[in-house]
Amino acid sequence: MKITMDITNSIIDFEGNTELQKLVDNELHYKLSVRPKGYQFTPSFKNNYWDGYTLMHENVKEPNGEVSIKFPTGLVPQVDDILGNVQNVKNFQYTIIDNRPDPFLSVDDVPKTITLGSNTGADIELRDYQYDAVKSIVEQHVGILHQSTNSGKTTVAAGIIKTLLPHLQKDERIVFFTHSTAIFNQ
């Protein structure tokens, strides 16, 4: 059995072992999934159409008929822990193959301070927690910002962009999406 990591998703290939695939799928169902707040009040749960779990993985039927499991690469450490526990019940070995491209930026490349220009003329220097968020994103090569209202998520995004820009190749671009034009204009 092997786990192949890509940039966004990872795949567990059971190499034809359907018994192991079903066992791991069951474990991931209950240990990797979440039950959203209020799930027990939904009509689908009350009518026994849904068990209340929001899955973080999916079964994928391969062209050869075998089933593999796909999940977000950021969950590899949790899946690794779950598989370690499954090994206590069933004897099997697995390898993790990291197919992600080599990073083009390391934490050492992040400047000691990150200063952004603003349309008011006064420069903005990232606060410690904002700077740490930029470093964490660079170190992990991917990330999701969990910060409270008015904590400067857009400022952190601008800091990430400013840090990455000097390291891009001539034909590479950065795309920044927001859900509102007001945030984009900041």
Side-chain angles (χ1 to χ4, degrees), residues 145-172:
L145 292 174
H146 291 283
Q147 294 179 300
S148 62
T149 303
N150 288 332
S151 63
K153 292 180 284 295
T154 304
T155 302
V156 172
I160 293 168
I161 291 169
K162 183 172 184 179
T163 302
L164 294 176
L165 274 175
H167 301 279
L168 295 181
Q169 299 297 318
K170 188 174 185 174
D171 60 341
E172 293 178 318

Side-chain angles (χ1 to χ4, degrees), residues 57-76:
H57 70 287
E58 67 178 298
N59 291 324
V60 177
K61 190 166 188 173
E62 302 295 338
N64 63 4
E66 293 180 6
V67 176
S68 60
I69 294 179
K70 180 170 114 177
F71 62 94
T73 294
L75 297 175
V76 166

Side-chain angles (χ1 to χ4, degrees), residues 4 7 12 14-15 18 20 31 34 43 55 65-66 71 77 83 110 120 124 138 143 145 148 153 155 168-169 177-178:
T4 305
I7 294 173
I12 303 174
F14 295 93
E15 299 168 342
T18 56
L20 183 59
K31 294 183 179 166
V34 295
L55 304 180
E66 293 180 6
F71 62 94
L83 291 176
V110 177
T120 63
I124 301 167
V138 169
L145 292 174
S148 62
K153 292 180 284 295
T155 302
L168 295 181
Q169 299 297 318
F177 295 98
T178 65

Side-chain angles (χ1 to χ4, degrees), residues 28-82:
L28 294 178
H29 183 89
Y30 293 105
K31 294 183 179 166
L32 190 65
S33 303
V34 295
R35 280 187 155 169
K37 187 176 181 178
Y39 72 92
Q40 68 273 27
F41 304 115
T42 63
S44 57
F45 181 79
K46 287 181 177 181
N47 293 321
N48 294 321
Y49 295 119
W50 176 49
D51 64 359
Y53 286 96
T54 300
L55 304 180
M56 299 294 153
H57 70 287
E58 67 178 298
N59 291 324
V60 177
K61 190 166 188 173
E62 302 295 338
N64 63 4
E66 293 180 6
V67 176
S68 60
I69 294 179
K70 180 170 114 177
F71 62 94
T73 294
L75 297 175
V76 166
Q78 290 87 341
V79 171
D80 189 27
D81 287 344
I82 291 167

Side-chain angles (χ1 to χ4, degrees), residues 100-105 141:
R100 295 176 293 179
D102 292 335
F104 65 92
L105 186 65
H141 314 294

Side-chain angles (χ1 to χ4, degrees), residues 115-154:
T115 306
L116 306 171
S118 75
N119 57 1
T120 63
D123 288 343
I124 301 167
E125 185 174 323
L126 267 62
R127 297 182 176 124
D128 290 343
Y129 67 90
Q130 294 168 326
Y131 178 80
D132 291 343
V134 172
K135 278 184 72 172
S136 177
I137 296 286
V138 169
E139 183 176 36
Q140 299 299 319
H141 314 294
V142 66
I144 297 173
L145 292 174
H146 291 283
Q147 294 179 300
S148 62
T149 303
N150 288 332
S151 63
K153 292 180 284 295
T154 304

